[in-house]
Amino acid sequence: MRRTYCIITIIYTLLVLLIPNFILCFTEQMSYLGSLCNILIPASFILFILTISRRIGINIWLLFPYFFFSAFQIVLLKLYGRSIIAVDMFLNIVTTNPGEVAELLGNLLPVVGLVIILYLPVLILASWMWGKRHLLDNHTVAAGRRLALVTSIAGFLSLSVTESSFRTIDNVFPLNVCYNVYLAIDRTEKTASYHTTSKDFTYSAVPSHPASAREIYIAIVGETSRAENWQILGYTRPTTPQLLSRNDIMTSVNALSESNTTHKSVPMLLSTVSACDFDKNIYTTKSLVTAFREAGFNTAFISNQRYNHSFIDFFAQEADTTLFLKEQELELDNNTPEDLRLLSVIDNIIARENTKQLIVLHTYGSHFNYRDRYSGIKGEFLPDDYDEASESNREKLINAYDNTIRITDRLISECIIRLDTIQHLLGGIIYTSDHGEDIFDDGKRNFLHASPIPTIHQVHVPFLVWITDSLNRLEPSAFERMKVNMSKRVSPSRSYAPTLIQMAGIISQKIDGTQSLLSTEYLEKEPVYLNDHNECVPLRTLL
């Protein structure tokens, strides 16, 4: 009897651990031979470990990393519908604050419950067998090892004749995940050395505007705001009524981000790094904050997010004033949405009356859970009382999401009003978002962002610019060029920093003039995307 339930335990463990492999054969559209490799090679490994010794309980616990990756993979497939656990998934664990993780997991409880039911009983049983010192008989061990060997040979024979593009470290689960763990660790180590590798970087920036002229520029980086829900960009609902009421906002309807993850997109926006040189240059580059400081500006970086141990934090620390509001012990008005609390900080900075001032805002934006982004006030679009993120609740989710855009509309408009009332000010505001969001669009079940393969909803972002009358009078031809260039294809990842730096009259050889929207040399480029392995790939191959 003991031998029977040990064999049943081995078979059950093998089958439940192979569930992700079977699913991935379909979601990744593998060939027949590729599917065989993806099942037989891992199956041989699992069988070998399960019979590596007679102590069945210990053998199962040796497979704990496989249990973890399998559970994680099933949750990921539920969330995104395809793709393996990416490098960015592991990095997001480090760079996403606990509150956002809790919000997400709260809406994945059914699939989390499923993986618990699938895997936890096996581990509990293994612990019991370990404690009771249950042993496999020699015949079962020998049979398991022979089957593992035969399965391994069949798997590698399939690998030898499959298509040349099929590689184990890219296509066989969990070998591909293990490789991604290695890449994540390597990137984390490189990031930890950033202050050493970037210490000698300089923009050699010099100002060109009159030294006596007062200047204020506000660079706003949004969070998870997608262009298709902006009224000023053609959306039918009144999500940006204040911006739409003005006739001096320059917008781009063709702006595509080069990443759908915050920890990559924001550093590209705030520096001269793009998808095509990210892995090469991000560890040695400083942000536009340093360019402004070199040009004589006082600088402030105000974030409405938490520290996330990424380049965003490093760039923020370049500023003269750095505030992460969620990390401060502040007395806050709970009836004011969080992003609108930034306005009092802006007022304090403007009141200092520095002649030259840069203010960088990293907003709370439109990240899920949407209702939290406008807590304290009643939403314009109702009902917004979804109880979970599901396709059946899409109308309520869209209502809540659109309410977050109205907060951003108010924030930008209030910033404009503040600069517009300062006489003779040379100044401007530039806004874009790090990425967009899927909200069960197009009849599909895609939700959120940061999926290994992006959708158009995740990369199509708003991009807009406003300037003071005094700045426009100083360089009218430049801003006429901007209006023309913004009608073309725009990559905020490439153009945000060069445009802002040139807007402020800062000259630097490190700036790519072909990507500044103010430049006569502005050059449209094919939209690209920074994939999980930090490779620059044409976006058209993914959408």
Side-chain angles (χ1 to χ4, degrees):
M1 179 65 71
R2 179 176 294 183
R3 180 188 179 196
T4 299
Y5 74 69
C6 283
I7 292 174
I8 291 173
T9 300
I10 289 174
I11 294 173
Y12 180 79
T13 303
L14 174 66
L15 291 177
V16 295
L17 288 180
L18 287 176
I19 288 174
N21 297 77
F22 283 107
I23 298 174
L24 287 165
C25 290
F26 295 97
T27 63
E28 308 312 295
Q29 300 179 336
M30 295 182 188
S31 66
Y32 177 72
L33 289 173
S35 297
L36 282 178
C37 293
N38 189 45
I39 293 171
L40 294 178
I41 293 175
S44 66
F45 172 77
I46 295 170
L47 280 170
F48 175 73
I49 297 299
L50 287 173
T51 55
I52 197 171
S53 74
R54 294 183 63 196
R55 299 288 298 275
I56 178 64
I58 294 177
N59 296 347
I60 292 174
W61 271 101
L62 287 174
L63 286 165
F64 179 77
Y66 208 129
F67 278 90
F68 174 78
F69 289 147
S70 295
F72 195 166
Q73 184 63 60
I74 290 173
V75 172
L76 175 67
L77 288 168
K78 166 63 177 176
L79 186 60
Y80 294 125
R82 61 172 303 182
S83 299
I84 63 161
I85 306 169
V87 180
D88 288 333
M89 295 294 169
F90 293 110
L91 295 177
N92 282 340
I93 293 174
V94 178
T95 60
T96 299
N97 71 65
E100 291 179 353
V101 172
E103 290 169 355
L104 175 58
L105 290 179
N107 285 276
L108 291 173
L109 288 179
V111 69
V112 171
L114 173 63
V115 298
I116 289 174
I117 292 170
L118 284 174
Y119 296 122
L120 187 58
V122 184
L123 294 173
I124 293 174
L125 179 61
S127 299
W128 180 76
M129 288 179 165
W130 189 346
K132 294 293 184 179
R133 302 183 65 84
H134 284 190
L135 301 177
L136 296 173
D137 64 276
N138 290 327
H139 176 76
T140 301
V141 170
R145 291 176 180 175
R146 284 195 300 270
L147 183 57
L149 178 61
V150 171
T151 306
S152 175
I153 292 172
F156 282 102
L157 283 175
S158 300
L159 179 63
S160 67
V161 294
T162 193
E163 60 271 21
S164 59
S165 61
F166 189 94
R167 300 195 309 161
T168 55
I169 62 171
D170 290 332
N171 302 103
V172 175
F173 178 88
L175 289 175
N176 43 18
V177 177
C178 293
Y179 178 59
N180 286 348
V181 170
Y182 160 75
L183 291 178
I185 293 172
D186 180 61
R187 290 183 199 171
T188 301
E189 291 176 348
K190 288 181 179 178
T191 302
S193 302
Y194 171 78
H195 292 296
T196 299
T197 56
S198 66
K199 65 183 178 65
D200 295 326
F201 181 89
T202 178
Y203 282 94
S204 300
V206 295
S208 66
H209 287 170
S212 60
R214 189 178 183 192
E215 298 185 72
I216 302 176
Y217 301 94
I218 302 179
I220 306 176
V221 177
E223 171 65 59
T224 319
S225 192
R226 61 187 203 173
E228 62 198 277
N229 288 67
W230 280 62
Q231 180 189 16
I232 197 172
L233 299 177
Y235 190 43
T236 56
R237 302 181 87 179
T239 55
T240 59
Q242 295 188 37
L243 290 174
L244 193 65
S245 68
R246 306 185 65 95
N247 59 7
D248 53 358
I249 308 290
M250 291 175 277
T251 62
S252 170
V253 296
N254 300 306
L256 298 175
S257 175
E258 294 183 3
S259 176
N260 62 351
T261 63
T262 299
H263 74 272
K264 288 182 179 180
S265 181
V266 175
M268 286 193 284
L269 290 171
L270 297 179
S271 72
T272 58
V273 175
S274 70
C276 292
D277 62 359
F278 187 91
D279 210 37
K280 176 183 177 183
N281 292 332
I282 190 61
Y283 304 102
T284 59
T285 299
K286 292 183 180 179
S287 78
L288 59 83
V289 173
T290 289
F292 274 79
R293 288 191 69 185
E294 290 178 358
F297 279 74
N298 188 279
T299 57
F301 192 110
I302 315 300
S303 175
N304 220 355
Q305 303 198 19
R306 294 193 179 276
Y307 298 132
N308 63 8
H309 315 291
S310 75
F311 296 101
I312 302 171
D313 292 2
F314 304 152
F315 289 176
Q317 291 160 7
E318 296 172 20
D320 299 296
T321 300
T322 302
L323 287 175
F324 279 72
L325 298 185
K326 291 186 177 298
E327 304 288 349
Q328 313 293 318
E329 294 183 4
L330 303 173
E331 293 186 8
L332 300 173
D333 179 5
N334 291 327
N335 293 321
T336 301
E338 298 211 27
D339 274 344
L340 298 185
R341 297 171 187 170
L342 292 166
L343 295 171
S344 61
V345 182
I346 294 170
D347 289 339
N348 290 334
I349 294 172
I350 293 176
R352 297 173 188 172
E353 297 189 348
N354 293 314
T355 305
K356 311 289 183 181
Q357 181 70 60
L358 168 71
I359 303 172
V360 179
L361 303 179
H362 190 193
T363 70
Y364 202 36
S366 302
H367 197 290
F368 188 81
N369 188 345
Y370 308 136
R371 288 199 303 265
D372 290 348
R373 273 57 188 172
Y374 57 97
S375 61
I377 65 170
K378 182 179 180 181
E380 177 72 19
F381 304 105
L382 300 171
D384 61 354
D385 57 336
Y386 54 87
D387 53 1
E388 64 174 348
S390 63
E391 193 172 10
S392 62
N393 281 329
R394 185 175 188 273
E395 180 183 354
K396 294 180 179 179
L397 289 166
I398 289 292
N399 285 341
Y401 186 83
D402 286 348
N403 287 332
T404 71
I405 305 299
R406 285 183 68 96
I407 299 301
T408 301
D409 174 59
R410 288 176 59 185
L411 172 66
I412 299 173
S413 298
E414 289 293 332
C415 287
I416 291 174
I417 291 170
R418 280 156 171 77
L419 299 194
D420 208 16
T421 56
I422 301 175
Q423 290 189 346
H424 310 301
L425 179 72
L426 301 183
I429 295 170
I430 185 169
Y431 172 90
T432 193
S433 181
D434 51 359
H435 51 72
E437 181 99 309
D438 281 317
I439 314 177
F440 303 106
D441 305 286
D442 311 319
K444 299 178 181 178
R445 302 184 67 183
N446 298 330
F447 184 58
L448 300 180
H449 56 272
S451 59
I453 299 176
T455 65
I456 188 62
H457 309 288
Q458 293 184 38
V459 294
H460 187 200
V461 293
F463 189 101
L464 58 89
V465 175
W466 173 87
I467 60 168
T468 63
D469 290 338
S470 295
L471 184 60
N472 189 33
R473 286 193 296 269
L474 183 66
E475 299 183 74
S477 60
F479 291 102
E480 285 301 318
R481 286 194 300 271
M482 177 181 280
K483 292 177 183 178
V484 174
N485 289 333
M486 289 188 80
S487 67
K488 303 175 183 178
R489 280 199 308 264
V490 173
S491 166
S493 307
R494 293 174 183 266
S495 294
Y496 188 90
T499 300
L500 178 60
I501 289 172
Q502 188 173 354
M503 186 192 307
I506 297 172
I507 300 171
S508 170
Q509 294 300 314
K510 295 288 179 69
I511 302 304
D512 183 358
T514 68
Q515 293 307 293
S516 168
L517 294 167
L518 290 162
S519 175
T520 57
E521 301 174 345
Y522 177 74
L523 179 65
E524 284 184 289
K525 293 192 175 182
E526 180 182 13
V528 294
Y529 177 76
L530 184 64
N531 73 9
D532 184 58
H533 287 179
N534 282 354
E535 299 164 332
C536 180
V537 297
L539 193 55
R540 57 179 165 75
T541 64
L542 302 176
L543 298 181

